[in-house]
Amino acid sequence: MKSNSFWPKHFYLVATDNASHQHKADRNHMGSKAYNLLRMAQIGLPIPPALVIGTHYTQSPEECILPLFALGLPSLQQATAQTFGDTRNPLIVSVRSGAPVSMPGMMETLLNIGLCDDTLPGLLRQSGNPRLVWDAYRRLIASYGEVVAGISATVFENALQDLCQGQDERELDFEQLRALSKQYLALYQNAVGKPFPQNVNEQLSGAVRAVFNSWHAEKAQEYRRLNQIDDAIGTAVTIQSMVFGNTGGHSGAGVGFTRNPTNGEAELWIDFLANAQGEDVVSGRRNAHGHQVLAAIAPEAWEQLQNATQALEYEFSDMQDFEFTVQDGVLHILQTRSGKRSALATARIALDLFDQKIIDLDTAHERTAHLDESQLSVVQLVSNATTQAESSVLAHGAPACPGIATGEIALDGERAANRHSAGVPIILVRQDAETNDIAALDLAEGLLTQRGARTSHAAVVARQLGKICLVGCEQLHIDEATRTLYFGDQEFHEGDVITVDGNQGTVYAGAVESVRVMDEALLERLRQLRSQFAEHHHARKKHNK
């Protein structure tokens, strides 16, 4: 944060080369995302510079606009050596939310703010990559249209699918993307009644207001209700210099966990998309790949990421959920937070971190004290049901939360609420893994989606809620008009029963017999921890008398 008397209150500047000059920064004022960004900068991890507008402005966003342009933005421009709206060397930014408490996917993010007809040549000059320029522009028009102007995402998605005709959008060339951008501009004007804003200051102020306003969105309120989060804490807004994962074959975007969040195993758990931006992974509208693709296209960045994730665990003393971008082979880390995990993973991670001396006995006990021993188990298919199950396999997907769930198919929140009220277990089946479904997900036994990555925000929330979750089921097709779904050529309707296996990533017709299997070795480790804690607690009490 700037220390001179003219620096606006509740604004912060975060960059690796000036992290040591920060002061009076804390999680409550900066928000968790920005505060963790500051901590990463302080330990030298590669982060893009960022300007933070504090949580203070949540109830009155208009008050931050004047100091943003008068003092805040000029400081970010100085840190990046770029100028917002410049025709030759433009600063392009993302605008991200960040409450003091992690609320994954519940508020809005906008990327590529600052692109307009005038700055497109500047980005081309910086990058030498016409495909990047038009891909970033069409993404901005669509996301700004959805988040700020309130246009349905399907308006732009349908246009994209019509152009792709089954082709992967990452294979579109710059001429196709240029034509798509112009089509998006026309769709925006038709829907809103005025052109897409070409004034970059209007873009930025609109994005900042929209992100602050997303604190009051229905899904955000529902998440706070489910997790007993105070409405008064508000959210910060982080304006961060863009790095681009969509520059070509040596670039991409990813989300990862420093340990497996489903079972706690000490292994990197990563979803990565080459030649893509971060929203492709977390939005729940795209499928993703594992770390092998990253290692193949950018081996040096993969090696740097492995080292960085170790540094993250030591700095934050916990398993981390992180977002990163690789631009032309160079790694950039965008955010980190303590990762949502299953109960089983909670125990194993705490015990392993204690054994590694990353956390102490008191912390390990605190993190596991709420666990019931019955939670250290996984529901699996019973052995004599394997043959029966194999005959009823419908499809496969990416398992995002382990266990077995059986229930009636429900295609939306209204159906889920009605059947839940009747005491009927349901499986929520959706095209995309989206956080808008949080209320329905809370009522369901499990979630099954046609698209989405294991690290998408909706999958993260499902894991936190303890719901069985299977995403990216490509054999699934949903006909919304007839409320029918298909697994290949097999037809199902709402009310039909299916079983979702979050262990093996399999969907079955009907109910399949299952059994709960205890992890005896992990249970014994937990008992030893509790016994050791009790002995130390008793010894401390005796010493203090």
Side-chain angles (χ1 to χ4, degrees), residues 438-510:
I438 183 171
L441 183 57
D442 184 48
L443 304 177
E445 302 299 311
L447 173 68
L448 171 65
T449 71
Q450 177 185 343
R451 304 189 300 197
R454 301 172 305 172
T455 55
S456 62
H457 289 317
V460 169
V461 173
R463 199 155 43 243
Q464 181 186 14
L465 293 173
K467 308 297 182 177
I468 312 309
C469 185
L470 197 63
V471 298
C473 181
E474 295 180 351
Q475 295 128 304
L476 168 65
H477 174 72
I478 302 172
D479 187 333
E480 297 281 0
T482 62
R483 303 190 72 78
T484 304
L485 57 146
Y486 300 87
F487 295 96
D489 58 1
Q490 297 191 60
E491 181 177 320
F492 286 77
H493 303 89
E494 282 189 308
D496 291 341
V497 174
I498 59 173
T499 296
V500 178
D501 183 347
N503 305 315
Q504 302 300 320
T506 311
V507 185
Y508 302 101

Side-chain angles (χ1 to χ4, degrees), residues 132-432:
L132 162 68
V133 171
W134 291 106
D135 187 43
Y137 195 30
R138 64 95 181 178
R139 288 171 180 269
L140 168 62
I141 300 162
S143 62
Y144 195 93
E146 179 183 357
V147 174
V148 181
I151 304 172
S152 170
T154 58
V155 170
F156 301 105
E157 187 73 16
N158 290 342
L160 175 63
Q161 295 308 319
D162 288 344
L163 176 62
C164 288
Q165 293 293 308
Q167 177 186 14
D168 190 318
E169 66 184 87
R170 293 173 295 170
E171 296 175 3
L172 297 175
D173 62 28
F174 85 89
E175 291 182 335
Q176 291 172 302
L177 291 166
R178 180 174 58 190
L180 185 63
S181 297
K182 293 178 178 179
Q183 184 181 2
Y184 278 10
L185 288 171
L187 289 169
Y188 184 101
Q189 178 154 1
N190 183 62
V192 179
K194 60 181 181 180
F196 174 79
Q198 295 296 324
N199 182 308
V200 295
N201 287 355
E202 181 184 347
Q203 283 183 22
L204 181 57
S205 57
V208 168
R209 290 185 183 100
V211 172
F212 272 126
N213 288 337
S214 68
W215 175 256
H216 308 289
E218 184 177 341
K219 64 180 179 179
Q221 293 184 56
E222 180 67 15
Y223 185 90
R224 293 197 294 274
R225 184 189 68 79
L226 290 173
N227 293 279
Q228 294 84 51
I229 298 172
D230 185 357
D231 285 337
I233 63 174
T235 183
V237 172
T238 299
I239 301 169
Q240 191 167 28
S241 174
M242 277 294 300
V243 285
F244 297 96
N246 53 331
T247 62
H250 297 287
S251 302
V255 178
F257 290 76
T258 55
R259 296 171 192 248
N260 188 317
T262 69
N263 60 26
E265 294 292 346
E267 58 187 9
L268 278 175
W269 207 70
I270 287 176
D271 283 333
F272 181 77
L273 266 178
N275 197 23
Q277 290 196 326
E279 284 299 295
D280 295 334
V281 181
V282 301
S283 68
R285 299 174 185 173
R286 301 287 183 270
N287 297 347
H289 308 289
H291 70 267
Q292 296 86 354
V293 173
L294 170 59
I297 69 168
E300 290 186 8
W302 168 234
E303 183 176 351
Q304 290 173 345
L305 184 64
Q306 293 176 82
N307 294 332
T309 56
Q310 291 182 20
L312 286 175
E313 282 206 349
Y314 277 98
E315 172 66 19
F316 292 94
S317 303
D318 198 6
M319 181 263 277
Q320 294 295 290
D321 168 5
F322 56 91
E323 184 177 338
F324 65 97
T325 291
V326 177
Q327 179 176 334
D328 298 324
V330 179
L331 173 68
H332 305 269
I333 302 179
L334 306 181
Q335 66 177 74
T336 192
R337 60 190 168 201
S338 292
K340 309 300 183 187
R341 65 205 78 178
S342 68
L344 187 72
T346 296
R348 177 168 285 117
I349 291 169
L351 290 165
D352 286 352
L353 291 176
F354 173 61
D355 289 346
Q356 294 171 245
K357 296 182 171 52
I358 295 176
I359 61 175
D360 59 21
L361 177 62
D362 288 350
T363 303
H365 180 266
E366 179 184 359
R367 292 182 184 177
T368 57
H370 67 284
L371 293 175
D372 185 275
E373 291 187 352
S374 65
Q375 293 177 281
L376 304 191
S377 61
V378 175
V379 180
Q380 301 175 346
L381 299 182
V382 300
S383 56
N384 61 8
T386 303
T387 304
Q388 167 204 345
E390 287 174 352
S391 66
S392 61
V393 171
L394 298 172
H396 299 273
C401 194
I404 308 290
T406 297
E408 285 188 5
I409 295 167
L411 295 179
D412 59 30
E414 183 179 358
R415 174 79 183 193
N418 289 339
R419 298 307 288 157
H420 182 267
S421 296
V424 177
I426 59 149
I427 303 295
L428 184 64
V429 182
R430 303 288 281 158
Q431 176 174 281
D432 300 323

